[in-house]
Amino acid sequence: MYYTYMLRCEDNSIYTGMTKNVEHRMEEHFTKIKGAKYTSTHTAKKLEAVWQSENRALASKLEYRIKRLTKAKKEELIQTNNLEELLQEIIDCKPYKRIENIFF
């Protein structure tokens, strides 16, 4: 399994990434041990959303599409979890399952 995730940073920006191990990757972001270049300068504050997919290609495709959304659309996605409404014309949203109750 692979995961696509959205992090809120202290400056209220949103970082989107993908990983095979959510817990390990969040530890890297929050401790800045081996986080992304973006989160090394924009301190990660909160994990906002996580979607599970069967393989790396699907996770990468979702990451790419989310990164191209406007900030307002990213905020809407976090609040509504409505991938279909925001991305249905761009990608097939059926392979993605939002994971709830993940806290870091």
Side-chain angles (χ1 to χ4, degrees), residues 66-83:
I66 291 173
K67 283 183 173 184
R68 263 99 201 120
L69 294 173
T70 64
K71 174 80 162 38
K73 292 292 183 184
K74 290 176 186 180
E75 294 287 359
E76 182 181 341
L77 180 57
I78 289 167
Q79 293 303 313
T80 66
N81 183 34
N82 200 343
L83 278 178

Side-chain angles (χ1 to χ4, degrees), residues 7-91:
L7 284 176
R8 180 156 325 265
C9 297
E10 286 186 354
D11 64 356
N12 206 35
S13 62
I14 298 171
Y15 173 80
T16 304
M18 61 170 254
T19 186
K20 200 169 182 179
N21 183 327
V22 177
E23 185 174 328
H24 182 259
R25 188 66 177 137
M26 292 308 107
E27 184 178 322
E28 291 176 338
H29 281 301
F30 292 124
T31 62
K32 294 188 178 186
I33 291 173
K34 189 184 170 189
K37 184 177 180 180
Y38 187 85
T39 58
S40 69
T41 59
H42 299 80
T43 303
K45 180 171 86 172
K46 179 183 178 189
L47 179 62
E48 291 283 7
V50 180
W51 291 270
Q52 180 180 347
S53 51
E54 290 294 321
N55 58 54
R56 183 182 176 97
L58 286 170
S60 181
K61 185 181 286 189
L62 182 58
E63 175 193 22
Y64 176 81
R65 293 304 176 183
I66 291 173
K67 283 183 173 184
R68 263 99 201 120
L69 294 173
T70 64
K71 174 80 162 38
K73 292 292 183 184
K74 290 176 186 180
E75 294 287 359
E76 182 181 341
L77 180 57
I78 289 167
Q79 293 303 313
T80 66
N81 183 34
N82 200 343
L83 278 178
E84 293 82 12
E85 183 177 312
L86 293 171
L87 298 174
Q88 72 179 349
E89 296 177 9
I90 302 169
I91 63 171

